[in-house]
Amino acid sequence: MPDHSPNQWPAETISALVDRFERPLLAYASRMLGGDWQEAQDAVQETFLRLCREDREKIESRVAAWLFSVCRSRVIDMQRTKHSTPIDASKVSLADPAPDVSEVASDEEARHRLTEMVDQLSPRQQEVLRLRMQAGLSYREIAEVTGLTVSNVGFHLHEAVRNLRNSLAMS
């Protein structure tokens, strides 16, 4: 007989959370894993499995930070146990399945240029920038995921943006 405790996650809530966070988590995990999409999918799947087992009342108010924190821990564990073979990130795409060809070429060039600039940032700057821009986490949530203070998150984000601005000005 299934457990119908009040702290269990309703199926529709889990489904909504997967719809909202799966792609940002995949992008985050894939980047941490050097573009290994298969490993990223495994990490994200494990993250959602852990969510299903977690007491809803304990994490509902901070579910975004919890998801990214668990995913980050899972990726770190995966990196410790096995060195993944990087896949060319440009070959992994979540783009519109039927975009205009000229738009694709222009978008791909800009994306590649920005990716190269972001790759020049420190690993910490890259992580906080992705959590803010791709995942949409707040400074407080980023602090919870990374173990930094909120003011350190702000500092690293400010430095990342300043460095990107300088790179754009020089190109």
Side-chain angles (χ1 to χ4, degrees):
M1 224 173 165
D3 178 13
H4 292 293
S5 79
N7 296 338
Q8 195 175 31
W9 292 90
E12 60 276 4
T13 301
I14 293 289
S15 180
L17 289 170
V18 169
D19 288 347
R20 179 169 176 214
F21 290 107
E22 183 178 35
R23 287 178 70 152
L25 284 166
L26 281 168
Y28 178 65
S30 175
R31 195 67 190 141
M32 287 182 71
L33 290 162
D36 189 331
W37 196 247
Q38 189 82 33
E39 291 289 310
Q41 289 174 317
D42 291 346
V44 171
Q45 182 178 24
E46 178 64 26
T47 299
F48 283 114
L49 287 173
R50 289 183 188 180
L51 175 68
C52 292
R53 294 188 298 257
E54 191 66 30
D55 184 340
R56 186 180 81 218
E57 286 184 359
K58 289 181 181 178
I59 65 166
E60 197 164 28
S61 65
R62 57 184 184 87
V63 71
W66 186 91
L67 285 168
F68 279 90
S69 188
V70 169
C71 185
R72 180 179 192 259
S73 295
R74 180 68 189 121
V75 167
I76 290 168
D77 288 347
M78 291 166 78
Q79 289 171 326
R80 283 186 190 134
T81 58
K82 172 182 143 189
H83 292 297
S84 62
T85 305
I87 295 172
D88 182 355
S90 67
K91 293 181 181 169
V92 178
S93 176
L94 296 174
D96 178 6
D100 177 57
V101 175
S102 63
E103 187 179 312
V104 169
S106 174
D107 287 352
E108 190 62 36
E109 183 179 321
R111 191 175 309 120
H112 181 69
R113 192 166 149 233
L114 182 59
T115 298
E116 286 178 344
M117 288 180 197
V118 171
D119 286 345
Q120 298 306 310
L121 298 174
S122 73
R124 181 66 78 191
Q125 289 173 359
Q126 289 180 38
E127 182 176 27
V128 297
L129 185 66
R130 286 190 177 96
L131 287 170
R132 180 73 179 146
M133 304 307 289
Q134 291 177 332
L137 298 185
S138 70
Y139 283 32
R140 181 187 55 76
E141 290 170 325
I142 295 168
E144 188 175 328
V145 170
T146 61
L148 296 170
T149 64
V150 173
S151 60
N152 276 342
V153 168
F155 170 78
H156 287 294
L157 279 171
H158 174 76
E159 287 298 301
V161 170
R162 186 178 61 80
N163 290 336
L164 288 173
R165 189 179 301 129
N166 290 343
S167 293
L168 280 171
M170 294 185 336
S171 62

